[in-house]
Amino acid sequence: MKVVSSRKKEKVIAILGIASALMLLVGCERQEKPKQTEQEEVDTASQVQQDIEEEGLSHELLSEQSEESEQSARPERTDQAKETRQLLDGASGDPVQDKLDAGRIIEEQSFQIELNDWGEVRFVSYEPVPSEKPMQDVAFYLLKDEEILYQFPYIDEEHSSGYGLYYWDVKFVMFSDTNADAKEDVVIGAEYMTGAGPQGAIPHTIVRIYEDHGDYFTYNEDLSDKINDYLPWESNVLAQDIKRLLQLTNGKEPLTNYESYTGKWTVSSGYVAAYENPMPESGNELICSISNGNEFYGNLFTEQEMSKRIASVEDIVGTIQNGELFFEFTDDGWGGAGTLHITFLPNQINVEVLNLQKAEENASGYGTSGTYEMTIRE
């Protein structure tokens, strides 16, 4: 389980507080407002009209003065500077600031890289300030000599996550060619929280993919959504998982390296139940280690829900071929024998017990049987 820093704890408290305040505000707005008398309504309407006319005149005068002042005080930019500003403003849909606040740069997810035609640049993950705008999303930049070269577009017009979630952290950033155009694209795994309910303070990874078009990036919403559909809320998502999903989703060649499946996989205990306190443990798990691309070693443990009886098949070894592994076992702890059929799906592992033969002395008939869908990697 990830250790939460004091800074992150403060962010959790702030997010949950903001969520509660918004709910309270909605409730207050629903209360009935006191009615005005007829004369008060007439007086109010007259005053509003007068304010509008005065404000319109003042705004017009201020606009003219501001424009004249700006034209006289602003130095003439070079053509190159103008083009750069147009590129920045147009690509992000939002004017870009000249300097970044160093305190908001997420150093562990910012990198100095050689990126396609951009050359040597620094990719920067830039944290929002929830107290200023609760739903503000994380931002990303390319810097050249500490100057802003490019701002990546937000995925939502309101500069939020687009999913009604609160930003939590950036879990990983990777650079990979996602569309076979010989250019490295930017793939980001950002974490968000709902701020409400039993799982309100549990981060969930959402992937966004930016494709490089030479002098700007575009957000590939369709491919991002396709990848996100494979990610259960409670699963531990790593960059290597996204590499695998991109290959299986976009690639034409079959998967040959299965090392990214290494870990402890369990059967999901449910969207909400998984975050009860204490967190319930799944009684069915597959612990596996894969090396040299497809050489598998692991152990399978299963538990009967009512009786809590445990069965296990240990020291499972074999070679994964075309996403499958067959392993014959002679004892599951209850004298049972059979064949394990292990299949590796895009983001889960299924274990099916074939040809099960129970021991005659096993009066209860319990053993390793059925099919186990391992969707959660701890």
Side-chain angles (χ1 to χ4, degrees):
M1 183 175 293
K2 183 188 291 186
V3 177
V4 182
S5 65
S6 59
R7 183 180 179 184
K8 291 297 182 184
K9 287 180 181 178
E10 291 176 0
K11 185 186 288 187
V12 172
I13 295 172
I15 289 175
L16 295 179
I18 291 168
S20 301
L22 290 175
M23 294 174 65
L24 180 61
L25 181 61
V26 171
C28 292
E29 287 180 349
R30 290 177 180 170
Q31 295 180 359
E32 185 176 355
K33 297 180 179 179
K35 294 184 178 179
Q36 294 179 313
T37 64
E38 266 186 49
Q39 185 58 44
E40 286 174 333
E41 290 176 351
V42 171
D43 293 343
T44 300
S46 299
Q47 184 63 45
V48 168
Q49 179 64 30
Q50 182 179 348
D51 291 344
I52 290 174
E53 291 175 355
E54 292 178 354
E55 182 178 353
L57 181 59
S58 299
H59 178 73
E60 185 177 345
L61 291 173
L62 286 173
S63 297
E64 291 176 358
Q65 294 172 0
S66 175
E67 186 176 351
E68 291 175 0
S69 175
E70 184 178 356
Q71 288 177 353
S72 60
R74 182 177 55 200
E76 188 67 27
R77 294 174 177 168
T78 64
D79 292 340
Q80 183 178 0
K82 288 181 179 179
E83 290 176 2
T84 301
R85 178 56 56 182
Q86 290 171 356
L87 171 63
L88 290 170
D89 293 349
S92 66
D94 184 51
V96 180
Q97 57 196 47
D98 294 326
K99 292 287 185 180
L100 297 182
D101 179 358
R104 291 171 58 186
I105 294 177
I106 308 172
E107 293 292 347
E108 61 271 21
Q109 297 300 340
S110 299
F111 311 94
Q112 196 74 25
I113 59 170
E114 184 79 25
L115 184 61
N116 306 324
D117 297 334
W118 299 90
E120 184 73 21
V121 294
R122 186 186 183 201
F123 175 89
V124 171
S125 299
Y126 196 62
E127 194 170 43
V129 182
S131 60
E132 295 180 1
K133 195 173 182 181
M135 304 299 288
Q136 182 80 15
D137 200 7
V138 61
F140 303 96
Y141 296 87
L142 293 181
L143 269 57
K144 188 84 167 180
D145 299 327
E146 300 305 320
E147 296 294 330
I148 296 175
L149 181 65
Y150 181 80
Q151 178 184 1
F152 288 77
Y154 286 97
I155 64 174
D156 181 75
E157 291 182 357
E158 300 298 324
H159 298 180
S160 70
S161 68
Y163 299 93
L165 303 173
Y166 296 94
Y167 163 76
W168 168 252
D169 201 2
V170 176
K171 189 169 187 181
F172 58 80
V173 176
M174 67 179 186
F175 305 91
S176 177
D177 185 1
T178 64
N179 53 5
D181 65 352
K183 290 184 178 180
E184 297 289 295
D185 302 312
V186 180
V187 182
I188 299 164
E191 292 184 307
Y192 298 88
M193 298 191 302
T194 65
Q199 73 284 356
I202 302 298
H204 169 65
T205 302
I206 295 178
V207 170
R208 65 183 66 178
I209 299 169
Y210 290 106
E211 295 179 344
D212 189 355
H213 291 273
D215 56 359
Y216 67 96
F217 287 82
T218 58
Y219 170 58
N220 189 329
E221 183 176 7
D222 290 340
L223 182 56
S224 298
D225 288 346
K226 188 179 296 185
I227 297 299
N228 287 321
D229 286 343
Y230 285 111
L231 308 180
W233 190 281
E234 57 266 46
S235 187
N236 180 27
V237 180
L238 305 177
Q240 61 189 18
D241 297 316
I242 306 307
K243 288 183 179 179
R244 180 183 67 246
L245 288 171
L246 285 170
Q247 181 176 347
L248 292 174
T249 302
N250 265 358
K252 298 179 181 179
E253 298 180 2
L255 193 67
T256 56
N257 189 321
Y258 298 86
E259 295 180 12
S260 60
Y261 286 95
T262 295
K264 178 181 177 181
W265 291 79
T266 65
V267 174
S268 172
S269 54
Y271 178 71
V272 174
Y275 301 111
E276 292 176 353
N277 190 15
M279 182 185 297
E281 295 183 3
S282 170
N284 305 293
E285 61 185 42
L286 176 70
I287 301 175
C288 60
S289 176
I290 304 171
S291 59
N292 297 324
N294 62 349
E295 295 178 7
F296 181 96
Y297 175 83
N299 299 297
L300 173 69
F301 300 92
T302 62
E303 181 180 10
Q304 192 175 48
E305 185 175 356
M306 296 296 294
S307 66
K308 302 300 180 183
R309 288 180 290 194
I310 296 175
S312 63
V313 178
E314 301 182 21
D315 299 325
I316 305 169
V317 295
T319 300
I320 305 170
Q321 295 182 338
N322 298 321
E324 295 181 302
L325 172 67
F326 292 88
F327 177 77
E328 294 184 4
F329 64 94
T330 56
D331 185 10
D332 61 358
W334 296 80
T339 302
L340 296 182
H341 177 211
I342 305 176
T343 55
F344 298 82
L345 302 179
N347 202 43
Q348 73 180 63
I349 302 177
N350 286 355
V351 181
E352 182 182 10
V353 182
L354 306 175
N355 308 318
L356 178 64
Q357 297 179 355
K358 298 178 182 178
E360 293 182 1
E361 61 272 19
N362 182 6
S364 68
Y366 179 68
T368 302
S369 62
T371 300
Y372 306 93
E373 297 182 354
M374 309 287 183
T375 61
I376 309 301
R377 203 260 301 283
E378 297 182 357

